[in-house]
Amino acid sequence: MTEQDTDRQSVRASTEIVLVIGAGTMGRGIAQAVAEAGHPTLLFDADQRNLEHGLAVLETAWERAVQKGKLASSDARAARTRLQPAQGLDEAAAAAIVIEAIFEDPEIKVTLFRELDAIVPESALLASNTSSISITRLAAAVKAPGSFLGLHFFNPVPVLPLVEVVRGLRTDEATVNRALGFVRGLGKTPVVVNDSPGFVVNRVLLPMINEAVLCLAEGVAGKEAIDEVMKLGASHPLGPLALADLIGLDVCLDIMRTLHRDLGDDKYRPAPLLARMVDAGKLGRKGGEGFYRYDR
Ligand SMILES: NC(=O)c1ccc[n+]([C@@H]2O[C@H](COP(=O)([O-])OP(=O)(O)OC[C@H]3O[C@@H](n4cnc5c(N)ncnc54)[C@H](O)[C@@H]3O)[C@@H](O)[C@H]2O)c1
């Protein structure tokens, strides 16, 4: 039996409640993976409509997975039963693990963690799914920064196997080990990295996307051509502009701004076209239009 099989078995036997905060693109994907792995799962969002929408999207995802034969209907039913909406943050009092996936804004996240700190049990593991904000900075908002770390899932969560496990300056080794077991139990592959702006994936990926936007703005090539060359010439499954639409152009812009500000190097300057598109409300797939148009 592999280490991963053992972790999965122990998760199935576990009754650790996992609270996921934010029912947007990432939060609902994380909640899906966590519920499917056997954890009682609570999903909370400050916006009731977003919570209801997130739950409806999950319902459809489970129906489709069953129709396509990817999930047994009994497993889908069990996962659906395990996932419950949380009516308020006070439900964090029952959580063993909290995963935050709200807007990529340090002030909003710090405020949430301060609030959570007064509610969660002392033994709780606190994690942020931030793409680029310093884990060490977020951890400073809580009394026990040793129990705080980054769990950086990738979009779409049910499909992509990687979770960057981000060790902040004050994260305890026991917390890292607990997180490794939890992530393996979800059937994902954890890779431990140290806290630094953008960690590894976004530090490498986002400047490439930003460069593709600059190429588009400068007229080096059209959007389809830029995406085509990167698919055929670099073996990328998706071109950088289509990938930006998938991630969300607002999320891409936030990450570039963080890299620029926190690393202090102008090579991370966000492409002005990216900022203009966000100003225009063209946020990518989630809004129906980004570099491409999507049927909603
Ligand atoms: N989109 C991606 O591809 C991706 C990938 C990896 C990590 N991330 C990170 O995951 C996080 C979430 O990103 P997303 O794309 O899911 O965002 P999103 O905009 O789709 O969803 C965010 C949700 O958080 C809710 N929210 C905001 N403030 C809240 C609060 N104080 N309390 C409770 N709920 C609140 C919003 O109502 C919204 O439903 C961000 O930190 C982002 O950087 C995103």
Side-chain angles (χ1 to χ4, degrees):
M1 192 182 283
T2 64
E3 199 178 2
Q4 187 137 340
D5 290 335
T6 317
D7 283 329
R8 287 189 80 110
Q9 275 198 354
S10 62
V11 165
R12 289 193 186 284
S14 111
T15 50
E16 281 197 323
I17 296 177
V18 178
L19 168 65
V20 179
I21 306 182
T25 312
M26 295 306 292
R28 61 179 178 252
I30 295 167
Q32 180 181 350
V34 171
E36 286 178 11
H39 289 280
T41 310
L42 291 168
L43 183 60
F44 175 70
D45 199 293
D47 183 326
Q48 185 63 25
R49 279 169 312 174
N50 289 356
L51 179 59
E52 280 162 19
H53 177 67
L55 291 168
V57 171
L58 285 180
E59 193 64 40
T60 308
W62 276 320
E63 268 168 31
R64 284 207 188 125
V66 171
Q67 277 163 13
K68 288 183 182 168
K70 289 183 178 167
L71 194 68
S73 58
S74 55
D75 287 344
R77 246 193 335 271
R80 202 180 283 132
T81 312
R82 273 182 221 114
L83 177 69
Q84 297 295 327
Q87 303 307 328
L89 255 199
D90 52 344
E91 296 203 37
I97 296 178
V98 178
I99 305 174
E100 167 276 312
I102 67 168
F103 297 144
E104 185 73 349
D105 178 314
E107 302 309 325
I108 298 179
K109 287 191 196 281
V110 163
T111 305
L112 173 71
F113 279 115
R114 284 213 182 103
E115 217 176 313
L116 270 174
D117 199 32
I119 304 169
V120 291
E122 232 172 85
S123 56
L125 184 150
L126 296 175
S128 174
N129 183 53
T130 176
S131 306
S132 60
I133 298 167
S134 164
I135 291 301
T136 308
R137 177 177 176 191
L138 295 178
V142 301
K143 287 190 292 290
S147 304
F148 195 108
L149 85 179
L151 285 183
H152 187 205
F153 291 79
F154 291 82
N155 184 17
V157 179
V159 177
L160 293 182
L162 176 66
V163 178
E164 275 184 310
V165 173
V166 187
R167 189 198 280 125
L169 216 59
R170 297 178 68 186
T171 307
D172 292 337
E173 231 23 58
T175 301
V176 172
N177 289 331
R178 186 174 169 195
L180 290 176
F182 170 68
V183 170
R184 288 197 193 103
L186 303 182
K188 305 269 178 216
T189 305
V191 175
V192 181
V193 303
N194 290 322
D195 186 21
S196 176
F199 317 126
V200 175
V201 173
N202 285 332
R203 169 98 173 251
V204 175
L205 181 65
L206 264 294
M208 182 199 68
I209 288 175
N210 199 52
E211 203 60 37
V213 181
L214 288 168
C215 283
L216 180 68
E218 289 171 21
V220 179
K223 59 189 176 194
E224 286 90 356
I226 292 170
D227 278 348
E228 192 72 355
V229 295
M230 293 306 289
K231 284 199 288 186
L232 298 182
S235 271
H236 290 190
L238 213 60
L241 299 173
L243 180 58
D245 278 356
L246 179 71
I247 295 170
L249 301 195
D250 51 341
V251 177
C252 291
L253 181 62
D254 283 338
I255 297 170
M256 284 311 298
R257 283 185 172 146
T258 302
L259 292 176
H260 192 210
R261 185 191 61 232
D262 292 354
L263 292 166
D265 190 324
D266 274 345
K267 73 178 178 181
Y268 300 112
R269 188 174 68 96
L273 175 60
L274 184 60
R276 277 213 311 277
M277 291 188 65
V278 172
D279 286 343
K282 295 184 179 187
L283 303 184
R285 276 186 196 223
K286 62 185 168 188
E289 188 179 356
F291 292 105
Y292 298 92
R293 282 176 186 274
Y294 303 88
D295 289 334
R296 299 199 73 183

